[in-house]
């Protein structure tokens, strides 16, 4: 590329005359070379994405879950415009109780991920520590983390919306226990998947619980859902907790059947998740993955 500082033309050989500046492209900076480097990175990430089913699932997951949740809620509210007004704070209560499940699951899963990120699993299990002792300690840490995260939210809801979850009375404790159990067994399944597939499946820890939101009747009653979705909702423990919460807020009656069903399902899923986690742990130990997993 030739720039003429005066009126002198540049000669055909590209020689620089007086007042003429000739600039050549810097090494490796031609348009073709730039695109070659960019395309190499594009292909790298494409092959990484194409070879990872969890990553592809994550891309599809968030739009579908958000759409399904709000479509179901919108359809319910269109036919029940006075529903929310019948019980002040019913949606706020639903949000706060769902946070119990979320905090319980993340409290367990994040503590486990921190051990993976720091490559500490191998150090832990050269000791006589049993996997169930380890999981039990993570559950206690989960309770502590949940309390730290939820208490300020409960206080803020009381101050801004004049709604207190403690108005639910004694059933609140039982609801909390059921929701915490649900968060724990779900976290144990995630931990088993991570032990099997490594940190390539880390995104499951963040998105697994949200896929249950549309089916857990958090914001709308079970009977408002499409008939073909109701069998899925019935086998989710959280569904019966939120149905029980609405019974208290609307009818001032505590449904022991809903609570018992929720706790029974949680006990069943907890047993299955424990077996799955122990099997994944034994396999990871045999394959030497406890020492290999990390950032």
């Amino acid at each position: 590329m030739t720039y003429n500082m005066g009126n002198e033309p540049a000669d055909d050989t590209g020689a620089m005359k007086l007042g003429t500046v000739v600039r050549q492209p810097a090494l490796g900076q031609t348009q073709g070379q730039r695109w070659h480097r960019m395309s190499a990175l594009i292909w790298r990430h494409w092959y990484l994405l194409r070879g990872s089913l969890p990553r592809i699932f994550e891309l599809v997951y968030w739009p579908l879950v958000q759409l399904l949740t709000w479509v179901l809620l919108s359809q319910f509210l269109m036919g029940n415009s006075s529903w929310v007004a019948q019980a002040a704070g019913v949606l706020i209560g639903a949000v706060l109780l769902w946070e119990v499940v979320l905090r319980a699951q993340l409290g367990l899963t994040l503590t486990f991920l921190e051990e993976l990120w720091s490559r500490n699993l191998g150090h832990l299990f050269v000791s006589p520590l049993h996997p169930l002792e380890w999981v039990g300690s993570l559950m206690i840490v989960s309770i502590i983390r949940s309390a730290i995260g939820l208490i300020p939210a409960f206080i803020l809801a009381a101050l801004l919306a004049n709604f207190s979850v403690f108005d639910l009375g004694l059933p609140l404790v039982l609801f909390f226990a059921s929701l915490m159990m649900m968060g724990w067994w779900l976290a144990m399944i995630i931990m088993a998947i991570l032990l099997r597939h490594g940190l390539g499946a880390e995104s499951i820890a963040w998105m697994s619980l949200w896929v249950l939101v549309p089916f857990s009747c958090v914001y709308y009653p079970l009977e408002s859902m499409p008939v073909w979705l109701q069998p899925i909702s019935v086998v989710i423990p959280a569904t019966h907790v939120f149905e029980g919460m609405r019974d208290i807020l609307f009818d001032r009656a505590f449904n022991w059947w809903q609570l018992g069903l929720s706790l029974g399902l949680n006990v069943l899923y907890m047993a299955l998740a424990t077996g799955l986690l122990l099997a994944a742990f034994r396999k990871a130990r045999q394959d030497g993955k406890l020492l290999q997993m990390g950032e």
Side-chain angles (χ1 to χ4, degrees), residues 191-232:
M191 291 161 63
I193 294 173
L194 289 171
L195 284 172
R196 175 65 179 84
H197 298 284
L199 287 174
E202 181 182 347
S203 59
I204 295 176
W206 312 106
M207 65 186 187
S208 57
L209 189 59
W210 292 104
V211 77
L212 298 179
V213 172
F215 310 104
S216 297
C217 301
V218 180
Y219 305 113
Y220 36 80
L222 178 62
E223 61 268 17
S224 69
M225 296 186 63
V227 176
W228 61 276
L229 283 179
Q230 291 185 16
I232 300 175

Side-chain angles (χ1 to χ4, degrees), residues 62-128:
W62 289 111
L64 288 182
V65 168
Q66 293 282 6
L67 179 64
L68 184 58
T69 300
W70 292 107
V71 164
L72 291 174
L73 179 59
S74 299
Q75 289 179 345
F76 170 68
L77 291 178
M78 281 191 297
N80 301 269
S81 57
S82 62
W83 181 80
V84 177
Q86 295 178 30
V90 64
L91 291 180
I92 297 175
V95 170
L96 291 176
L97 286 182
W98 185 253
E99 280 295 314
V100 175
V101 189
L102 181 63
R103 293 303 115 194
Q105 184 255 311
L106 288 179
L108 203 65
T109 309
L110 284 179
T111 309
F112 172 69
L113 281 171
E114 286 169 356
E115 303 289 5
L116 289 186
W117 293 332
S118 60
R119 295 182 178 271
N120 197 42
L121 281 185
H123 299 99
L124 286 176
F125 290 103
V126 295
S127 71

Side-chain angles (χ1 to χ4, degrees), residues 27-293:
L27 182 63
Q29 295 299 320
T30 66
Q31 292 296 330
Q33 290 168 321
R34 288 194 182 104
W35 173 246
H36 182 73
R37 291 192 297 271
M38 291 171 61
S39 63
L41 288 173
I42 292 169
W43 280 110
R44 174 192 180 277
H45 289 288
W46 166 248
Y47 286 126
L48 186 65
L49 180 63
R50 191 182 67 175
S52 175
L53 187 60
R55 287 185 172 93
I56 296 174
F57 180 68
E58 183 182 8
L59 294 177
V60 179
Y61 164 86
W62 289 111
L64 288 182
V65 168
Q66 293 282 6
L67 179 64
L68 184 58
T69 300
W70 292 107
V71 164
L72 291 174
L73 179 59
S74 299
Q75 289 179 345
F76 170 68
L77 291 178
M78 281 191 297
N80 301 269
S81 57
S82 62
W83 181 80
V84 177
Q86 295 178 30
V90 64
L91 291 180
I92 297 175
V95 170
L96 291 176
L97 286 182
W98 185 253
E99 280 295 314
V100 175
V101 189
L102 181 63
R103 293 303 115 194
Q105 184 255 311
L106 288 179
L108 203 65
T109 309
L110 284 179
T111 309
F112 172 69
L113 281 171
E114 286 169 356
E115 303 289 5
L116 289 186
W117 293 332
S118 60
R119 295 182 178 271
N120 197 42
L121 281 185
H123 299 99
L124 286 176
F125 290 103
V126 295
S127 71
L129 180 68
H130 191 274
L132 292 182
E133 297 172 346
W134 170 56
V135 172
S137 67
L138 295 186
M139 287 179 178
I140 295 174
V141 173
S142 171
I143 294 173
I144 296 171
R145 295 178 68 140
S146 298
I148 294 172
L150 290 172
I151 289 175
F154 291 163
I155 295 173
L156 193 61
L159 293 176
L160 296 182
N162 197 27
F163 175 83
S164 174
V165 292
F166 300 103
D167 292 340
L168 298 176
L170 180 60
L172 177 68
V173 178
L174 302 174
F175 287 162
F176 269 41
S178 183
L179 293 174
M180 291 289 288
M181 287 177 65
M182 178 175 168
W184 287 341
W185 61 254
L186 185 60
M188 292 167 69
I189 293 174
I190 295 170
M191 291 161 63
I193 294 173
L194 289 171
L195 284 172
R196 175 65 179 84
H197 298 284
L199 287 174
E202 181 182 347
S203 59
I204 295 176
W206 312 106
M207 65 186 187
S208 57
L209 189 59
W210 292 104
V211 77
L212 298 179
V213 172
F215 310 104
S216 297
C217 301
V218 180
Y219 305 113
Y220 36 80
L222 178 62
E223 61 268 17
S224 69
M225 296 186 63
V227 176
W228 61 276
L229 283 179
Q230 291 185 16
I232 300 175
S233 298
V234 168
V235 297
I236 299 175
T239 297
H240 306 287
V241 171
F242 289 105
E243 289 288 283
M245 179 201 72
R246 281 185 285 269
D247 286 339
I248 294 175
L249 292 177
F250 285 115
D251 303 326
R252 301 297 174 183
F254 180 47
N255 191 327
W256 287 96
W257 167 252
Q258 296 282 11
L259 177 67
L261 193 55
S262 176
L263 290 173
L265 287 171
N266 274 322
V267 170
L268 172 63
Y269 296 152
M270 183 72 78
L272 294 174
T274 300
L276 181 64
L277 178 60
L278 290 176
F281 181 83
R282 285 193 297 269
K283 180 64 175 175
R285 173 173 269 174
Q286 291 170 1
D287 295 343
K289 289 184 177 180
L290 297 182
L291 295 174
Q292 299 172 5
M293 279 189 283

